[in-house]
Amino acid sequence: MSGPRRAEVLAALSLAIDIGLGQPMEHMLRSALIATRLADRLGLDDTQRGTAFYANLVAWIGCHADSHELSRLFGDDIAFRADSYQVNWQGLPFLRLLATHVGQGEGPLDRGLKAAAFFVNAKGRLSDLIHSHCASASRLADRLGLGDPVRDALVFTFERYDGSGLPSGRAGDDIPIEMRVVHLAEVAEVFLRQDGTDAAVSMAKARSGSHFDPTVVEAFESTDLQGLLDDDVWTAALRQAPDSDRTLNEQELDDLLIAIGDFADLKCPFTIGHSRGVAELAAEAARGCGLSESDIRLVRRAALVHDLGRMGVPNTLWEKPGPLSEAEWERVRLHPYLTGRILRRVPGLEQVATIAAAHHERLDGSGYPLGAAGAALAPLSRLLGAADTYHALTEVRPHRGPHSPDKAAEILRCQARESRLDAQAVEAVLRAAGHPVRQRRAFPAGLTGREVEVLRLVAAGRSNRDIACCPSARRPSATTWSTSTPRSASPTAPVPASSRWNTASPAPSRPSSRRRWGERPMRPAPGTGEARSRRKPAGGAAPRRSSFGYRKEPSP
């Protein structure tokens, strides 16, 4: 069976770039369509046209490499990038943009000091950021197999026709014609989408000779832009790709997903290498469970790209050392949903998308974004959730230092006892990470722990009502990993043919406010039930917390 087309996978990557720019998905795809129409209008050859298409599609691929530095200067890195489209990067409007964002989110004194320090050497600071962007973009273009013309063109992403751009101040015809086309097409898409053709043409004419090549602007004025807002942009753009029919073999797809995972990890300094590490851990755990090679490959691929949706959340939240507000937490909870939405656009990656999007779901329904529970979580989703949790616990985060491997193992096992993570998935991950495995005696006739507990209660003469109310009988059961045909399957999470599990009925799919393991607590809104529950009880004893951060009732 043939794999996904390369153009489709790169188009999906462009959707992740879009949300990191504060633009709706398909911004880059639509601007790539504009670029190809401009290239035709200017009479560029096929090679130049193809270079313009892909250079436009991934022009901002390096932007996330400087998200950390950008957020330290301007606060919300995504909001800053979105606002930057509205001004020509020169003169008073550009200075006003910088002044509006510099030090955002800090107190008046700190913001004033940061603004003063920034404007003393504003050009130098911006030049450093842009140099980092261009270097990262070139390296990633190489790894994506886009070729020398695209890689070389991306160096000119922030240059301007009048020579006032960065990092090298190249001007006029020294800038490749493909990038002069991209400069106009990418900005024009924003104005076309927001305010129509006349606004896009007016913007291009206003920036002619400064930002844009006047020849390209003249061609843009006579370019047909009809249908760009109404057509199926995904399909129309893929038809224009120079290699639209090229499909990927297994190794090529793996290499491309590794590069995309590394791209996602550039978002924060402390996540570099995270996706690769989770992928290797999840794959080894799946291998230890005796799963098929196809399932091992599937969970590894899902792990490589599971955090692609992080691009849509600003670094001010990822790097916040204190508790998140309710609104902030809601934005963070969106990132697995964004991952799934991006990957599902690629035919052939549907299962990868389903598994990747569920890496923060939990057996008891306390996960996110859907609050899926029990049978709604397929075995590979459970494995990925355990692997991601373990690996994240051993990494540094802004609100804590890294946990030791033993501490991380203790947390995972405690979470399994609380029926958040699948117990057998946890043990498989810990075995893959080199921890001693706790062997559990198998029950006869393939019975699960829950079924055995119910039988014990029946034998003890308990009524059906008592059994239903017993927590040990109600909690979701662990997965039974084998190579037999699955007993049940969820329509929302396809079950690999090599796996089987028994589980309780799923809880309603709903978001939960319960605290997640290894994550910061959400600051309760004033007057809410959770805020009230944290008050000192009437008996005088303060609520006691476990070593893992759970709030517990006062000791007797």
Side-chain angles (χ1 to χ4, degrees), residues 116-243:
F118 172 76
F119 282 110
V120 165
N121 186 28
K123 187 171 183 178
R125 300 292 294 274
L126 291 176
S127 181
D128 290 343
L129 288 173
I130 288 172
H131 184 273
S132 170
H133 172 115
C134 293
S136 299
S138 295
R139 286 194 297 269
L140 285 167
D142 262 345
R143 295 185 57 197
L144 295 173
L146 293 176
D148 293 346
V150 173
R151 181 199 63 198
D152 296 342
L154 292 178
V155 175
F156 297 87
T157 299
F158 293 95
E159 301 292 354
R160 294 165 56 88
Y161 186 78
D162 63 1
S164 64
L166 295 170
S168 57
R170 304 289 284 275
D173 292 344
D174 287 345
I175 303 171
I177 182 60
E178 299 93 333
M179 282 309 294
R180 282 179 271 154
V181 167
V182 170
H183 287 161
L184 175 53
E186 203 259 325
V187 179
E189 192 280 337
V190 176
F191 284 81
L192 173 68
R193 170 171 36 84
Q194 292 180 347
D195 299 304
T197 301
D198 291 343
V201 171
S202 296
M203 178 278 302
K205 292 169 69 174
R207 302 188 191 185
S208 179
S210 57
H211 191 181
F212 306 136
D213 180 349
T215 303
V216 178
V217 172
E218 184 178 348
F220 179 71
E221 291 182 65
S222 57
T223 296
D224 180 18
L225 302 178
Q226 295 299 315
L228 285 174
L229 299 177
D230 303 320
D231 291 346
D232 177 356
V233 176
W234 177 271
T235 302
L238 289 177
R239 281 199 298 262
Q240 302 302 318
D243 58 349

Side-chain angles (χ1 to χ4, degrees), residues 300-313:
R300 181 174 182 272
R301 287 174 175 173
L304 286 170
V305 291
H306 73 282
D307 270 343
L308 193 55
R310 288 175 66 94
M311 300 300 105
V313 180

Side-chain angles (χ1 to χ4, degrees), residues 13 74 174 208 338 344 367 519 547:
L13 173 61
F74 303 116
D174 287 345
S208 179
L338 294 172
R344 286 189 182 97
E519 296 171 352
S547 59

Side-chain angles (χ1 to χ4, degrees), residues 401-432:
H403 290 292
S404 68
D406 287 344
K407 182 68 171 180
E410 184 182 356
I411 292 175
L412 249 68
R413 282 173 171 146
C414 188
Q415 188 168 359
R417 289 193 296 272
E418 295 286 339
S419 297
R420 286 175 171 76
L421 290 177
D422 181 281
Q424 292 197 25
V426 164
E427 291 304 319
V429 166
L430 295 181
R431 182 192 308 116

